[in-house]
Amino acid sequence: MTQQFDEKSKGGFGRKIKFTRDADDQEPQKGKYEDILKSVVVTGFILAALIALITQVNIPETKRPTITKKKVSETEKERIRRLKQYSSVGYFHEGYARAEKNGKYGFVDENGKEVIPPKYEWVGKFKEGVVRVFNNNKAGYIEKAGKVVIPEKYDDAWEFSEGLAKVMLVKNINDKTVARYGFVNKKGQEVVTAQYEDAQSFHGGLAAVRKGGKWGYVNQLGKVIIPFKYNQANSFIDGFAMVSVGDENPHFISRQGDKYDDFRAYEEGMAAVRKNGKWGFIDEQGKLMIPYRYDEVRSFKKGWAQVRTGKKKYYINKEGKRLK
């Protein structure tokens, strides 16, 4: 018998197993019969012992659970019937799911009822009560009732975040076709004009935008809060954002633009920050409340934070006083 291995099998080689037996006309030796007889006797004793043991042990009868079919309600049947008419139905977001029919997209609610007819070339998912829709390669926004919030006039659009959505317009600047980014509110007002080379959605009240090849940050009124000086910039999370300048290693900045090597998220109005290998604490306005003097810290809980200097661990309050 030959056992084959394909290329993906471990080892990647073929293996042959050959079985042989004595010639048919060869007479078995007497010793072999004796061995067989001994094996039969031993096996018999073992079987007898097992039967005696089983009869003494009371083994309860195993009952298999019966499988009962769940009855589908008439409401669920109607919901299924409604959804079957679509080529595909996406995940639900804020109670609505994208539904496709004949290559066009609309929305259904959780009962399978069609709330927005399939008439768009593509749609996003609902966020903050509105959704982006696309037709003729242009993007706009509609609300859950299907009412147009922002007409389809942008070349690209993103989901709303903190009341504003990033949008993109293709413009001709100095005889070059370029993309420019800005932000609109739910009234359709372009609160940050589409003037930036790139942008990220709002988080923590600020959005990273790029101008002249450098990144900075603007607030929800479009005012530049942190100057354009970073080669790379990420969105704010827990009050801090990771950025990089030139060939320097990435570091963190606060909403005030102050530079830190590391941080701990804000807890009870205080955040731990590290500079030059030492930890201290700042408040939500970025003011240093507890100096940089600790080798290791934890966030505040119930008015106290655990810190370490050298090998000693202890607790401090928000004034930096040590718990006795």
Side-chain angles (χ1 to χ4, degrees):
M1 180 181 73
T2 302
Q3 184 175 345
Q4 299 292 334
F5 294 85
D6 56 32
E7 294 181 356
K8 295 182 180 179
S9 299
K10 185 176 180 181
F13 60 87
R15 181 175 65 180
K16 292 184 179 180
I17 302 175
K18 185 179 181 181
F19 293 97
T20 60
R21 63 181 177 87
D22 296 329
D24 293 336
D25 57 353
Q26 183 178 351
E27 294 183 2
Q29 298 178 1
K30 184 177 180 182
K32 290 186 179 180
Y33 284 116
E34 293 176 351
D35 291 340
I36 293 171
L37 181 59
K38 289 178 182 179
S39 298
V40 171
V41 173
V42 172
T43 302
F45 278 116
I46 293 175
L47 288 175
L50 287 174
I51 292 171
L53 180 63
I54 292 172
T55 55
Q56 293 177 7
V57 178
N58 183 20
I59 301 176
E61 182 181 355
T62 302
K63 293 184 179 179
R64 296 183 179 180
T66 56
I67 300 175
T68 56
K69 292 184 179 180
K70 184 179 178 181
K71 187 176 181 182
V72 180
S73 66
E74 292 301 322
T75 302
E76 183 64 16
K77 287 181 180 179
E78 177 61 20
R79 177 177 179 273
I80 295 172
R81 186 192 66 77
R82 287 174 174 176
L83 293 176
K84 278 186 176 180
Q85 63 180 306
Y86 300 101
S87 304
S88 66
V89 178
Y91 293 104
F92 283 92
H93 296 276
E94 298 187 1
Y96 292 80
R98 178 174 63 230
E100 178 191 4
K101 182 190 287 186
N102 300 325
K104 297 287 186 177
Y105 294 88
F107 288 90
V108 294
D109 64 16
E110 293 177 338
N111 294 319
K113 180 181 178 182
E114 185 175 281
V115 290
I116 298 174
K119 59 180 180 180
Y120 298 101
E121 292 174 353
W122 193 83
V123 296
K125 63 181 181 182
F126 271 96
K127 186 80 177 291
E128 298 186 5
V130 293
V131 65
R132 51 189 172 144
V133 295
F134 294 77
N135 261 336
N136 300 317
N137 294 321
K138 293 291 182 179
Y141 294 85
I142 61 174
E143 62 181 12
K144 291 184 177 180
K147 180 183 176 181
V148 174
V149 176
I150 301 172
E152 297 151 26
K153 61 179 182 180
Y154 294 102
D155 294 296
D156 207 349
W158 284 257
E159 295 170 358
F160 269 83
S161 177
E162 299 184 357
L164 296 173
K166 181 176 78 170
V167 292
M168 186 264 280
L169 284 173
V170 174
K171 297 183 177 183
N172 189 289
I173 300 177
N174 298 328
D175 296 327
K176 291 184 179 180
T177 301
V178 295
R180 290 294 180 261
Y181 299 84
F183 294 88
V184 295
N185 61 20
K186 294 177 185 177
K187 295 180 180 179
Q189 299 168 332
E190 201 169 288
V191 295
V192 181
T193 57
Q195 58 179 303
Y196 295 109
E197 299 160 358
D198 202 351
Q200 297 177 18
S201 296
F202 272 90
H203 291 281
L206 296 175
V209 292
R210 191 179 70 190
K211 187 176 183 179
K214 298 291 185 180
W215 288 87
Y217 293 84
V218 297
N219 65 12
Q220 292 175 323
L221 298 176
K223 181 181 178 181
V224 177
I225 301 300
I226 301 175
F228 299 93
K229 60 181 179 180
Y230 304 108
N231 293 75
Q232 297 291 332
N234 293 325
S235 297
F236 274 85
I237 299 176
D238 295 327
F240 296 86
M242 181 183 285
V243 297
S244 64
V245 179
D247 296 330
E248 293 181 2
N249 291 327
H251 59 271
F252 298 95
I253 59 172
S254 65
R255 288 170 48 83
Q256 292 74 30
D258 296 322
K259 178 180 176 180
Y260 302 103
D261 299 325
D262 202 354
F263 75 96
R264 299 283 184 269
Y266 275 95
E267 292 284 350
E268 300 182 3
M270 301 276 278
V273 289
R274 180 164 63 90
K275 272 188 177 184
N276 300 321
K278 294 293 183 179
W279 289 87
F281 290 85
I282 60 174
D283 64 10
E284 292 179 341
Q285 286 70 47
K287 181 180 178 181
L288 183 65
M289 303 301 292
I290 301 175
Y292 303 100
R293 57 191 178 200
Y294 305 107
D295 296 310
E296 187 180 356
V297 297
R298 297 191 180 213
S299 299
F300 274 93
K301 299 289 184 183
K302 297 181 179 181
W304 298 92
Q306 187 184 68
V307 298
R308 178 178 64 81
T309 52
K311 295 182 178 180
K312 294 182 180 180
K313 290 184 179 181
Y314 52 94
Y315 288 87
I316 60 171
N317 63 15
K318 293 184 178 180
E319 286 75 43
K321 294 182 179 180
R322 181 172 177 173
L323 176 66
K324 295 181 179 180

